[in-house]
Every structure is written in structure tokens, then in C-alpha cells.
Amino acid sequence: QVQLVEAGGGLVQAGGSLRLSCAVSGGMFTLSRLGWFRQAPGKERELVAYISSGSRTSYYAVSVKGRFTISRDNAKNTMYLQMNSLKPEDTAVYYCAGTQRAIGPWDYWGQGTQVTVSS
């Protein structure tokens, strides 16, 4: 059974940086996509970024493109989200997610980590 555990959230001032990590157990090599979602209070969960198994494909939401970078280290069974130039509107609970599917629903979710950006 695949399990995902996030770490690295916290409080940061606007313009600052944070790096989130997602430790994957139970078979990272089986996951064709790994991604980061976020959910702000009163808003729907949204896809922030994802990366394919061989890191050949990546996607970024328009709101984070150029500021966030997703990466994965298969040897360490870990995925990362480097977040730079953070804005107050980036405040949310961030979740990592994974799936064996090339498209469609995400099957595995972490518990979430809070990111708060103060102005």
C-alpha cells in the first residue's frame, strides 16, 4: 500500500521560500504521476504541480509557474516542491498525491501540511 507523508510547511513572510517534501513508501516506482495540491480556507482543492515517473513531464498551475519547482528523487523515494517568492495567496494546506494512472483521478494522498505566508 502506497503511503505519502508531507513535511516542510510553516510560516514565512511574503517573498520568502519554503521547500516541501513528500516521502513515499510502498512503491514510488509504481506511481506514474506525483503531484502537489493545495486547499485554502473556503476554496476547492486545486492542483499546483505534478511530475511524471521519469521526470519527463511536469505541469504547473498558472498561479505558481516561475515561482515553484517540482522535483522527485526516486533513489530517496521523495518528491519536493520548492516554493520561492511566496505570496499571501499561497497560504493553504498543501497535499501530496500519487497515482499509477497516466490520466484521471489521484489515488493516494498525504495528510497535508500547512503553509502560511504573512504579508
Side-chain angles (χ1 to χ4, degrees):
Q1 179 72 6
V2 174
Q3 292 186 322
L4 309 176
V5 179
E6 303 96 337
L11 174 64
V12 64
Q13 287 189 330
S17 298
L18 279 175
R19 188 175 80 156
L20 304 182
S21 62
C22 175
V24 182
S25 60
M28 182 168 174
F29 66 94
T30 69
L31 301 177
S32 64
R33 290 181 293 157
L34 276 168
W36 290 96
F37 288 73
R38 68 185 181 186
Q39 188 167 21
K43 295 189 177 181
E44 292 188 354
R45 188 175 297 189
E46 64 171 344
L47 176 63
V48 175
Y50 77 76
I51 190 166
S52 65
S53 58
S55 300
R56 289 185 297 271
T57 302
S58 61
Y59 161 87
Y60 295 93
V62 171
S63 58
V64 306
K65 202 165 189 177
R67 300 187 297 122
F68 291 10
T69 302
I70 190 171
S71 62
R72 59 191 288 170
D73 185 336
N74 291 337
K76 295 184 178 179
N77 292 321
T78 303
M79 175 181 63
Y80 303 97
L81 185 68
Q82 178 66 43
M83 305 186 294
N84 298 329
S85 301
L86 282 161
K87 305 175 181 180
E89 51 263 43
D90 294 318
T91 295
V93 177
Y94 284 71
Y95 300 88
C96 66
T99 179
Q100 285 100 353
R101 311 170 203 258
I103 58 173
W106 296 75
D107 300 302
Y108 307 103
W109 294 86
Q111 81 287 352
T113 186
Q114 177 71 45
V115 172
T116 302
V117 185
S118 63
S119 56

